[in-house]
Amino acid sequence: MAALRQVLLGLVCALVAMGMVSGQDTTSSSTSDNKLLCMAEMVSNIETSCSKPDIQGYYVALESLLKDYLRKCFHTNFSSSRALHTMLPDLGDSVTDYFKNVSETFKDSESVEVVPTFVPAAQINSEIEFELEHNLTNSHDGWVLDPMGMGSIFNFDGFQDLTATVKPAVIASNASDIIKWDDVHPYFQRKFLVVTLPLDGNIKLLYYRRDIFEANNLTVPRTWEEVVAVATSLSRLGVLGPDGRPASPFCFDRRKDCHQSYFDLIAILAPYMQYNGSSQGVIFEPSTIRAFDRNPALVDNAAMAKALTLYSALIGLSPMDYKVEDKCDVVGAAPADAGRAMAQRFANGTCLMGVGLGDFFKAFKTSPFRGKLGVALMPGSFEVLNRTSNQLVPCAADTCPFGTVVPAQPGPSASDGGPSITRVLNRAPFAAGGGWVAAVNARTPNDYRNYSIGFFSHLASPAESWQRVLLPESSFDPYRLEHFSNLARWNESGYEPADTAAYLAHANESFSHPNIVLDLRTPGTKLFRDIYESGLANLTTGSSVDSVVALMNQTFYKLLLDPQQKQFRSLLADTYLATINYNNIQNLNGTAGGDGGGGGGSPSWLPIAIVLPTVGALLLIAAGVVYEVRNNRKHKNLFGKVVPPGVGPDTTILVTEIQDYNQIVDALSSEAVDRLLKDHNDCLRRLLLRHSGYEGSCEADSFVLAFHSPKDALLFAMEAQAALLNVSWPDELLSLGCCSQLWVQGIMPTAKPKALDDILDVSDEPITPAGASKIKALTPGLGSHLDGHGHGHFGSSGATLPSLVNVPATETYTFSNACRRAWKEASKEDSNKVRIFCGPRVRMGLHAGVHSEHDISHSKADGGRTTYSGDTVVLARAVAQAAHGGTVLLSEETYKKLPLERLWDKYLVLHMGEHRLRDTLPNLNLYHALNRTLEGRLAYVGPMTSLLQVDPGVLDAPVGCVTVAFMNVVGAQTLLSWNADVAQQAIKIFHTVVGDELKRRKGYLVEAVDGLFLAAFQRPSDAILWALECNEAMIKQDWPEDLLAHELCEELVISAPTKEGEVINTVVFRGLRLKTGVDTGQVLGEVHAMTGRMTYRGKVMNRAARIASTASTGQVLCSSDSWQLAMSADSQVMLANKVSGTSLGQFRLKGVAEKIEIHHCRKVSNVAPARRASSLVMSMADHWKWEQHLSGHGGGGMGMGGMGMGMGMGLNGNGNGGLVGNGDMGGMGVVGPEDVLLGGDSLRGAMLSPRSFTRGTGSCRQRQGSDPHLDAANAAHLGIELAADDN
């Protein structure tokens, strides 16, 4: 044994020498570092091999280890005695051809032949189970399988652990670079053991024909009851299908052989059954699944009866030419993917609405109705099942924490003027099937396991994933973050932009939903599915709901309570609870199930990997410890030292500085300064190794640190800020004001907060940017939750915000001021206090991306230390110097590379605006990262130390009483459908122009998507002036000529005589045309977890949006609240800018219960001369025709309909889309230059406001008393002659 150990030692030394020599020949230090990592793994494996029982075992192990080492570290391949055998599903000609091609491609690149065996998709899981159960000698080296069968297959212990492939301790076969695990949607990632690689993502969505819904004023259904109601309405329309017969209103497949009925039933059942997060489950009751004397199947209850009733109704509205017993004609499909038949029928118009996977979207690529696809989240429910009483109860905020407040009735509110009635809507998106995955056979020889890992890593790579998901005939759906964000890639492949955007947005939102429903991954999954499908077959052939419930319940009872099935029942409980990550959720009856702590929520175990079945808590803890040990060995060499990060986009530089360091040095003794620096440096250096950070340099109080990724740098910074609080600083230091301890305490509101129903919009779901999850920007007042130490946190529960804590409903504050009002200084003895500062305030700046080898230097004199310089260090230092003490600032390059979807529950990242830090540096968007335990620091964060703040950040966002402006480009979707390139170019100009105007008016950008620009203001006068100035600016832009040729954007010029008798041409429209709605009121503010920006909810959001949608082209409309506040607070500003507002009367808007008085805002401007000879010109003869037409209608102001009728411009017809005012028009006269309003406001103003024009003199007159803010002096200033009323 001793001799053998000497041989092993000699082999290790030889390998080390080989690695060193080879490393010297490389041109990049990172290559040498990688080989050192390979050697480290090799040594660890040799140590493990010492446990082999005999000498032969050593020889076998050493041979295998040597091959692995040479292959991974030196890319040396060995000839194989056979090919790599894989089992793949036969999914139809195009997908099977793809798998054949990718197998050939891998053979060419890796010199190993891949021989795929194609098995019918519905049988592949059974084949894999057979191979593993009988331990076949010639079994396959790896498989692509349907995850629904993994619960049974995994029990045979045949899956290779792939955790090191997606999160490698060393760089092996470039697998980590190939898979890009961080780009996989968080839903598909795992916490502990990973045994499969995702290749596909399945999620159910609601699809409908948008053109038919819009033409018939149908509202997209929010609940399953509304689905039935809308489908019934569709059945009465008589829409014809492609065969000339009436189209079916819904698309459900009744054929049992297609296995769709199970998925459709669970999709209906889900929102009634699951409302407390994914851990609550839908199929079995988690709290009783281990009770062997109870039936855990959730069948005999009111929710199942409701779901069966709804299913029966929808089957009756679906195509009738299929029978239950008919064979499924979908070729090459797993059960979850067999819905393609209905997808094709939906695409060709045979049916008009349905639920399905991505097949419905892909089928629309060649549909005659392309561009008319509507997509929505899966319908929800206003009721949920009380699992104690087995009855449905109304969904409420406390029982449905992930629900949304919506109006009780769809469509417009009742017209009785009373308060709106709201309800809580619970949604539970269903991840049906889960999507295809790849697994490696752990029993195959080591060489072939490695080949198999390499092949499936290649198959799971981003490039190959795009090949699969873009195939219209494939059942592979998006599952990578890039799939959801890169719309251009889809469009280049021929998918329609609007259809694609709708599909991807809702699919991504569904995967991110905390109440997503996970499909079964247990032993017996196929048996359970058959129970449901048999019951539904009986239901569709005449059986009653009660008899079907009794039949299914009896079948589950016999199966699960059979004394002979206790072992199966135990395994079922283990795998089911692991699948849903059951963790002691609080059910509706208030009792807790399980043994863990914490509530439901986003699952950490999801469908593409298996967490070890629960054999006990120690096993899971051990798995976590093993992973952490592996993870901490990343980027370390053989001797445990951190390998210096090299050139690369992820290399992140972190610069630290102590605020007021020079003043501290002057105030302290030299001994205290030495103690300060030692304690400070020791604290940071202890944490550095833990996060694989490398110390580049240290000068006095400042470190320059390098990390291999932005995530490592951020985690170090967050932990360092917390650790610095716990250092035993000398009393001499703590006596300084800039280093003293500071305790704070959340201030409870002195008055009862406004009820949420008074703030939130009751007619629509929250208006926020799509895509990512949100966190409420809570302060430690009502609604915040406390940890075990009484520390308040920003959380995802509760409703108290800075805008609601000690901020009166009529006052406006910035988010920064609201935070200051939410905290007060406290003493150490106070309860519920939080210590936010203690000792020196250390500021940190991060910037990612080292792009030049010249920025990295290796010093032999300093022990081989690597130092960093160049642009990255300069930027990181500039970012650090812009921060306040105790603040961690990130550059935008750093922020964009952070996996915030996995960090937001612990850390806040706030957008701090765009800043100019130095004259020699470009403008940078800065982000403030904050540990949630230190959120009280927000009350003490001042403005950034920069030369200029170019764009406001979230701390500048208004809260409390806020003015909201919705600005829309008229006909944006029409323009995008007409010519996407030209329209996008124009929209880019629009965003730039209105964004610049927004900065000038101190507004806050909330959202900018295509033709929508949503902004918030502290003062309504700024919002109104911004909108008017944007209208003016549109006329002055250099628009593409193709755009100006379109009827929605052509230059419109009006020819009119002046008072002196001259005729001038006045530009009314040119380029994109806008319309804007403005309203003021209290909002509920939220900080978006992914963007760090403020988003808003509230009635004011809906009112502003409705006002904007009601406006005609070129109009700026505002509510009476906004106008009155603007004129009372900023009357001089409004008058100086020649802004006039005319009340159009009170109107009842869609979705708004109370009537709203609306004002039309106009700005008197100089004449804009015509710029194109081909402009459409309106003569005074046409003008006279308008006047005659108006005078013949005896009062009652018109919207743009009047203008449209006279001009034939295709604008709104009489009253359609415009507003009907209450004033008398009077006669029109000559329009003088001072009366011409850019954007056509003078003409619209004449028709919409109670102004009259005197033909003889050409003077503009205003009816006295029509505007309460227009007195004689103001009228003179505006050049308006007041006229007596004609009454």
Side-chain angles (χ1 to χ4, degrees), residues 392-726:
L392 294 174
V393 297
C395 195
D398 56 339
T399 56
C400 302
F402 307 108
T404 306
V405 178
V406 298
Q409 298 297 327
S413 301
S415 58
D416 58 5
S420 299
I421 301 175
T422 63
R423 303 179 74 176
V424 176
L425 175 67
N426 180 58
R427 292 188 191 272
F430 181 34
W436 293 100
V437 297
V440 174
N441 189 346
R443 300 176 184 177
T444 198
N446 191 54
D447 286 348
Y448 292 93
R449 286 204 303 274
N450 290 328
Y451 286 135
S452 188
I453 289 173
F455 174 70
F456 287 124
S457 296
H458 174 69
L459 199 62
S461 66
E464 289 300 326
S465 72
W466 276 111
Q467 296 294 323
R468 291 192 303 276
V469 300
L470 292 176
L471 278 175
E473 304 84 6
S474 85
S475 58
F476 291 87
D477 291 338
Y479 66 97
R480 288 183 169 274
L481 298 177
E482 185 182 0
H483 293 163
F484 298 107
S485 62
N486 192 348
L487 270 68
R489 187 76 179 265
W490 292 88
N491 297 341
E492 290 167 3
S493 299
Y495 290 92
E496 202 280 332
D499 294 350
T500 305
Y503 165 66
L504 294 178
H506 289 94
N508 187 30
E509 184 177 357
S510 297
F511 279 128
S512 303
H513 203 287
N515 200 39
I516 190 170
V517 173
L518 314 178
D519 215 335
L520 282 174
R521 303 285 185 278
T522 65
T525 291
K526 185 177 183 301
L527 176 60
F528 299 144
R529 191 176 67 221
D530 288 340
I531 294 174
Y532 286 106
E533 290 175 355
S534 297
L536 292 170
N538 286 325
L539 180 70
T540 52
T541 53
S543 297
S544 67
V545 168
D546 290 341
S547 64
V548 170
V549 168
L551 174 65
M552 293 193 299
N553 190 57
Q554 184 181 16
T555 307
F556 273 112
Y557 185 93
K558 289 181 179 179
L559 174 66
L560 299 178
L561 273 72
D562 185 348
Q564 304 299 319
Q565 298 293 335
K566 283 192 175 181
Q567 184 177 358
F568 168 77
R569 175 73 179 269
S570 178
L571 183 60
L572 169 66
D574 289 340
T575 54
Y576 182 74
L577 296 179
T579 300
I580 64 173
N581 191 35
Y582 181 63
N583 195 22
N584 190 34
I585 61 168
Q586 296 295 324
N587 290 328
L588 186 60
N589 56 20
T591 61
D595 302 315
S602 297
S604 60
W605 192 100
L606 294 158
I608 59 91
I610 295 285
V611 172
L612 290 171
T614 306
V615 193
L618 289 178
L619 182 59
L620 294 180
I621 294 173
V625 170
V626 169
Y627 168 70
E628 287 302 323
V629 171
R630 283 179 167 178
N631 193 50
N632 288 335
R633 291 183 60 186
K634 286 195 308 181
H635 310 306
K636 296 182 177 68
N637 64 18
L638 181 64
F639 309 103
K641 293 184 178 180
V642 175
V643 177
V647 173
D650 289 337
T651 296
T652 303
I653 300 298
L654 186 154
V655 174
T656 74
E657 292 183 352
I658 296 177
Q659 181 174 285
D660 301 325
Y661 176 71
N662 291 332
Q663 291 89 323
I664 294 174
V665 170
D666 293 338
L668 297 180
S669 64
S670 59
E671 293 80 7
V673 172
D674 292 341
R675 168 86 180 276
L676 159 66
L677 291 178
K678 182 182 184 303
D679 291 345
H680 165 265
N681 297 351
D682 289 348
C683 178
L684 297 186
R685 284 170 176 154
R686 278 195 302 270
L687 299 173
L688 198 58
L689 185 63
R690 182 183 305 175
H691 297 284
S692 300
Y694 183 84
E695 181 181 335
S697 62
C698 176
E699 297 179 6
D701 67 311
S702 177
F703 276 96
V704 175
L705 309 174
F707 295 84
H708 291 268
S709 73
K711 178 185 175 183
D712 288 339
L714 176 68
L715 294 179
F716 165 82
M718 295 294 95
E719 191 169 350
Q721 290 292 341
L724 287 167
L725 292 175
N726 298 318

Side-chain angles (χ1 to χ4, degrees), residues 859-878:
S859 172
K860 294 182 180 180
D862 191 16
R865 178 170 296 281
T866 299
T867 58
Y868 298 84
S869 59
D871 293 342
T872 304
V873 175
V874 170
L875 280 167
R877 189 172 296 280

Side-chain angles (χ1 to χ4, degrees), residues 12 26 108 168 187 199 263 270 310 334 399 457 606 784 797 828 866 877 1012 1028 1071 1082 1172 1190 1209 1260 1287:
V12 171
T26 60
D108 294 339
Y187 169 81
L199 304 175
F263 297 103
L310 292 166
T399 56
S457 296
L606 294 158
S784 64
S797 62
K828 188 177 180 179
T866 299
R877 189 172 296 280
L1012 166 68
L1028 293 171
Q1082 191 173 10
R1172 301 176 72 228
L1190 292 173
M1209 285 292 294
C1260 176
N1287 295 337

